[in-house]
Amino acid sequence: MSAEPVQPTTAHNRRSELLAIAAGLFASKGFKNTTVRDIADAAGILSGSLYHHFDSKESMVDEILSTFQDELFGRYDAILLSDDDARTKLEQAVEVSFAAIDQHRDEVAIFQNEAAYLGGFERFAYLAERNAQSREVWITLLDDGVRSGALRSDLDIELTYRFLRDTVWVAVAWYRPGGKLAHTDIARQYLTILLDGIARPTPTTQGDTP
Amino acid sequence: MSAEPVQPTTAHNRRSELLAIAAGLFASKGFKNTTVRDIADAAGILSGSLYHHFDSKESMVDEILSTFQDELFGRYDAILLSDDDARTKLEQAVEVSFAAIDQHRDEVAIFQNEAAYLGGFERFAYLAERNAQSREVWITLLDDGVRSGALRSDLDIELTYRFLRDTVWVAVAWYRPGGKLAHTDIARQYLTILLDGIARPTPTTQGDTP
DNA sequence: GAACCAACCAAGCAATTGCTTGGTAGGGTA
DNA sequence: TACCCTACCAAGCAATTGCTTGGTTGGTTC
């Protein structure tokens, strides 16, 4: 008979519930622009009560971002270690990234928007490390692609890496789950554009998989 | 030598100087993250003195963004009105965008990072209008491209538009003038990727088995 | 040499910020 | 009954914020 003001999250405890609420606000309003009172209001408690669960507002983003990144880079590592060919790996990395946008939209958005600012603080130095690690992943995939003949050899790899990375992640700005296109559809379309271009193919076909 | 863009009526030099300083801070630290004391410090004056030149901190971004957008959309309009073929127009629009990143990096960065937040205020409603106008430009260019046969007909135009728009503007996050690549080089490389893709062209030859 | 003016200073105010402190309601356990 | 625990409240503090007010400076003009 007690109507508990609880949201339909699968959260075990109050802590992760509050983190999800904070993530949503950080993602849509920005970290600095979100006050602890905003978070508390959205959770239906007073701002001071947040400090029963967390040390600080900073530690909230910290936990949000580091948890997400641990998971994401675990998936990238799995791809790099697989036996697939270069092109397949590249496609998988793109798909994994779009899946992350689908399943962790807030976290991706926070990372996209706040990494530059937060990275300036000692506490968030790991953001720069993860960034470097991400570069390793993509550059490796692109190099392997060129070496194996799957990709054109006249590309500026560094530039291509930036376009690839940016184009994948920036989709978080407009993608909403449950829309017309599933994240898998978007990933496939993006890969088509990226791999084959938007210009009308000149004489011959786009290749089939042998 | 050539006539520089000058302010109407009284050319207050100090005013545009302060605006440029503010733009640099807004771009690198974010609008909300930049205090009026930050701006004043960077300019070597006290924070209160800023209010001799500007009504508010908000009016500073306002002026920065609206001035920039007026110029940018003037260039887009010129392209749309030209007699060039569809593909050339598309290439020119991309080149103009990269030129804007080169010449107005701060303004582009501010628009990229703060439009979502600022757009929520009545005062900045024009940001959403400009966004819609920008969509018109790209969609028109893409539609014309498909209709004229310059572009593939199996593209999701809406998705391609987002890909195109995002990938162009997001370059502001890493591009620095005076680097290894001029903005014209980047535009050309980007167009190559966009139009022809990164996959190795597979004409009739199929001998790429390892 | 008086009037004027743009640019700035010095001081501070009201609101907002992140966070602290001491307390309490309600449930479980012994 | 007594004890503990989690999750919260109530109140407020110190710092920071955007902005205001009244005054000062140095240069220009007539």
Side-chain angles (χ1 to χ4, degrees):
Chain A
M1 43 180 83
S2 59
E4 302 227 345
V6 180
Q7 290 297 320
T9 32
T10 58
H12 279 78
N13 49 24
R14 187 66 168 141
R15 182 188 175 85
S16 26
E17 227 174 353
L18 293 173
L19 265 190
I21 291 171
L25 289 169
F26 291 157
S28 66
K29 302 179 51 176
F31 174 69
K32 188 82 183 209
N33 208 29
T34 302
T35 71
V36 293
R37 284 171 180 79
D38 288 336
I39 303 171
D41 282 353
I45 60 179
L46 291 182
S47 69
S49 304
L50 285 173
Y51 292 83
H52 170 72
H53 301 274
F54 306 98
D55 286 343
S56 65
K57 182 180 146 185
E58 251 188 23
S59 74
M60 292 191 219
V61 237
D62 196 345
E63 193 168 332
I64 290 168
L65 286 179
S66 57
T67 302
F68 163 65
Q69 300 226 11
D70 288 347
E71 182 189 330
L72 178 66
F73 280 89
R75 300 201 177 167
Y76 283 150
D77 286 344
I79 293 172
L80 286 178
L81 291 174
S82 78
D83 289 338
D84 297 309
D85 63 279
R87 173 159 174 158
T88 302
K89 283 185 181 179
L90 190 65
E91 292 178 354
Q92 285 175 344
V94 170
E95 284 159 6
V96 157
S97 304
F98 275 101
I101 292 177
D102 182 61
Q103 290 145 31
H104 300 285
R105 202 172 78 256
D106 291 338
E107 291 87 335
V108 173
I110 295 169
F111 180 69
Q112 283 289 105
N113 299 327
E114 315 289 342
Y117 166 64
L118 291 175
F121 300 96
E122 181 104 16
R123 171 170 201 169
F124 294 95
Y126 68 88
L127 291 178
E129 291 170 26
R130 287 298 197 186
N131 207 39
Q133 191 181 348
S134 162
R135 185 179 172 282
E136 289 289 314
V137 171
W138 291 113
I139 295 276
T140 300
L141 292 173
L142 289 172
D143 275 341
D144 289 354
V146 171
R147 201 172 308 126
S148 72
L151 301 184
R152 302 163 50 161
S153 54
D154 62 337
L155 294 171
D156 182 321
I157 293 292
E158 186 68 30
L159 203 59
T160 307
Y161 147 66
R162 285 172 179 159
F163 281 133
L164 185 45
R165 171 201 62 183
D166 292 344
T167 310
V168 165
W169 290 123
V170 87
V172 76
W174 56 264
Y175 173 77
R176 292 293 174 275
K180 191 183 68 178
L181 293 173
H183 69 94
T184 46
D185 297 328
I186 297 173
R188 206 174 315 122
Q189 281 265 2
Y190 265 47
L191 280 167
T192 301
I193 296 176
L194 180 76
L195 291 166
D196 300 330
I198 70 172
R200 191 185 49 162
T202 22
T204 29
T205 76
Q206 69 246 55
D208 277 36
T209 33
Chain B
M1 327 279 188
S2 56
E4 289 176 336
V6 198
Q7 308 284 356
T9 62
T10 45
H12 288 143
N13 217 357
R14 187 59 168 152
R15 182 189 175 85
S16 22
E17 218 175 341
L18 293 172
L19 267 189
I21 290 171
L25 289 168
F26 291 157
S28 66
K29 301 180 53 177
F31 175 69
K32 189 83 181 198
N33 266 324
T34 303
T35 71
V36 292
R37 283 170 179 82
D38 288 336
I39 302 171
D41 284 353
I45 61 178
L46 290 183
S47 68
S49 305
L50 285 173
Y51 291 83
H52 171 71
H53 301 274
F54 306 99
D55 286 342
S56 64
K57 183 179 144 185
E58 250 187 24
S59 74
M60 293 190 216
V61 237
D62 197 345
E63 193 167 333
I64 291 168
L65 286 179
S66 57
T67 302
F68 162 65
Q69 301 226 10
D70 288 347
E71 182 188 329
L72 178 65
F73 280 89
R75 302 205 174 164
Y76 283 150
D77 286 343
I79 293 173
L80 285 178
L81 291 174
S82 79
D83 289 338
D84 297 310
D85 64 279
R87 174 159 173 157
T88 303
K89 285 186 180 178
L90 190 65
E91 291 178 354
Q92 285 175 343
V94 169
E95 283 159 6
V96 157
S97 304
F98 276 101
I101 292 177
D102 182 60
Q103 290 146 31
H104 300 285
R105 202 171 79 255
D106 291 339
E107 291 88 334
V108 172
I110 294 169
F111 180 69
Q112 283 288 107
N113 298 328
E114 315 288 342
Y117 166 63
L118 293 175
F121 299 96
E122 182 98 16
R123 172 171 202 170
F124 293 95
Y126 67 90
L127 291 178
E129 291 170 26
R130 286 299 197 186
N131 206 39
Q133 192 181 348
S134 162
R135 184 179 172 281
E136 288 288 315
V137 172
W138 291 112
I139 295 275
T140 300
L141 293 173
L142 289 172
D143 274 341
D144 288 355
V146 170
R147 202 173 307 126
S148 73
L151 302 184
R152 302 163 50 159
S153 54
D154 62 337
L155 293 171
D156 182 322
I157 293 291
E158 185 68 30
L159 204 59
T160 308
Y161 147 66
R162 287 173 178 158
F163 180 97
L164 186 44
R165 171 200 64 183
D166 292 344
T167 312
V168 164
W169 291 124
V170 87
V172 76
W174 55 264
Y175 173 77
R176 292 294 174 275
K180 190 182 67 179
L181 294 173
H183 69 93
T184 47
D185 297 328
I186 297 174
R188 204 174 316 122
Q189 278 266 359
Y190 171 62
L191 280 167
T192 301
I193 296 176
L194 179 76
L195 291 166
D196 300 329
I198 69 173
R200 190 185 56 160
T202 59
T204 21
T205 3
Q206 254 190 332
D208 63 326
T209 15

